[in-house]
Amino acid sequence: MEINSKIEKAKKGDQIAFTFLLDYFWNEVYSFMLKRTENETVAEDITIETFSKAFDKIGSYNPEFQFNTWLIAIAKNVHIDLLRKKRTNLFIEITDNEDQQAYNIADPTPSAEDALIKEQNLSRLLQCIKELKPHYQEVIQLRYFQEMSYQEIANKINEPLSSVKVKLLRAKKLLAEIIERNR
């Protein structure tokens, strides 16, 4: 019964309930995806996206079904979407000659306009990040500006790895909403 109460709390936005559910079901979903993909990084990415989608849509969860079954169904769909994207990308073939021509044309040095646009975009991004709560700012800064791994972040802020993953997911989602609102 504890799982059902955590699900109900999560539906109401309780962060502790989200973290509990992530911790409780993480290994099951990850192990399932690892068997399917045989790739730790891909399995982890799919698992993270699975929990992100599940938590975004937790209001639509039907308690007549087991929660882990619902998560596995989401994971399967995420995996299928990933495979479809890969297949779409496989149909583009470039000959060595075309590749060399493109390489010869492309100038890797940014123009003055490119540098200015990049600087303005970075400035706007930093302003949006400042709108996040401090703990979300911290994980974004550690992950994307200091390029720390999830484990390094967990060690630095003294929190479980699963909590760091959820925090980053929520921080990215909130940041995307802020960016969209400020357009």
Side-chain angles (χ1 to χ4, degrees):
M1 263 335 228
E2 183 180 1
I3 298 295
N4 291 336
S5 69
K6 294 292 185 184
I7 293 167
E8 288 307 311
K9 287 180 180 180
K11 284 182 178 182
K12 294 175 185 165
D14 183 324
Q15 185 63 46
I16 294 169
F18 281 121
T19 302
F20 173 85
L21 293 171
L22 181 87
D23 288 341
Y24 192 84
F25 291 105
W26 176 270
N27 287 338
E28 183 175 354
V29 176
Y30 175 76
S31 298
F32 176 81
M33 289 316 306
L34 187 58
K35 285 178 190 166
R36 284 182 73 134
T37 64
E38 297 179 348
N39 181 311
E40 290 178 8
T41 305
V42 172
E44 184 173 275
D45 289 346
I46 292 170
T47 304
I48 290 169
E49 189 169 341
T50 297
F51 279 97
S52 178
K53 287 181 184 251
F55 291 164
D56 283 346
K57 304 282 185 204
I58 197 155
S60 68
Y61 167 68
N62 182 348
E64 292 178 22
F65 302 100
Q66 293 291 318
F67 192 73
N68 59 340
T69 305
W70 185 64
L71 288 171
I72 295 294
I74 294 170
K76 286 179 182 177
N77 290 333
V78 169
H79 187 219
I80 289 167
D81 290 345
L82 181 71
L83 292 174
R84 283 185 185 140
K85 284 180 190 172
K86 278 188 179 179
R87 266 193 217 119
T88 303
N89 293 339
L90 291 177
F91 292 112
I92 301 170
E93 288 188 29
I94 298 174
T95 65
D96 288 340
N97 188 31
E98 290 170 330
D99 187 44
Q100 189 60 44
Q101 285 176 337
Y103 179 79
N104 290 340
I105 294 169
D107 180 6
T109 57
S111 67
E113 293 87 6
D114 292 336
L116 182 62
I117 289 169
K118 185 176 179 182
E119 189 176 311
Q120 288 174 342
N121 286 342
L122 181 59
S123 175
R124 263 189 269 151
L125 176 62
L126 291 172
Q127 285 298 338
C128 291
I129 290 171
K130 285 181 183 176
E131 292 183 38
L132 293 170
K133 290 182 179 175
H135 61 277
Y136 290 140
Q137 287 180 31
E138 180 182 29
V139 293
I140 291 282
Q141 195 267 340
L142 293 172
R143 178 73 175 148
Y144 298 104
F145 291 95
Q146 293 187 21
E147 298 180 350
M148 288 185 167
S149 69
Y150 292 120
Q151 189 60 58
E152 290 170 330
I153 295 169
N155 294 343
K156 176 143 178 94
I157 64 175
N158 199 25
E159 288 193 21
L161 183 61
S162 57
S163 295
V164 169
K165 290 175 182 178
V166 170
K167 255 188 199 172
L168 266 166
L169 285 172
R170 293 183 60 77
K172 289 188 329 192
K173 185 175 188 287
L174 292 170
L175 184 58
E177 290 169 5
I178 291 168
I179 291 168
E180 188 62 35
R181 190 174 62 234
N182 289 335
R183 278 194 174 173

